[in-house]
Amino acid sequence: MTKEVNCKVECVNGCILGDECPNKEYAKEAKKFLDDTSLDKMLEMAEAARLKKLTQPPKWVIPDEI
């Protein structure tokens, strides 16, 4: 039986489940990305995402209760 864990809260200092972690595959993908992608390329990606967000129109959030 796998223990229910809120990773965002309980694993902030590292995974507490170890080999039983259901998110191991994502960690492998992230490590591969970090190993294969230069810092300059990551900065280019971040800047492109920032510029895209700046050019999008504002999103209005209307509360349910006014």
Side-chain angles (χ1 to χ4, degrees), residues 1 15 22 25 28 33-34 39 46 58 61 65:
M1 184 170 114
C15 183
E25 65 187 75
K28 288 179 186 175
F33 173 78
L34 291 173
L39 181 57
V61 178
E65 297 176 20

Side-chain angles (χ1 to χ4, degrees), residues 18-47:
D19 290 338
E20 296 177 16
C21 180
N23 299 313
K24 284 192 303 188
E25 65 187 75
Y26 302 114
K28 288 179 186 175
E29 290 176 21
K31 181 169 178 12
K32 183 177 184 328
F33 173 78
L34 291 173
D35 290 343
D36 296 347
T37 309
S38 71
L39 181 57
D40 290 333
K41 181 66 177 170
M42 287 185 220
L43 291 173
E44 285 176 25
M45 294 166 70
E47 181 64 12

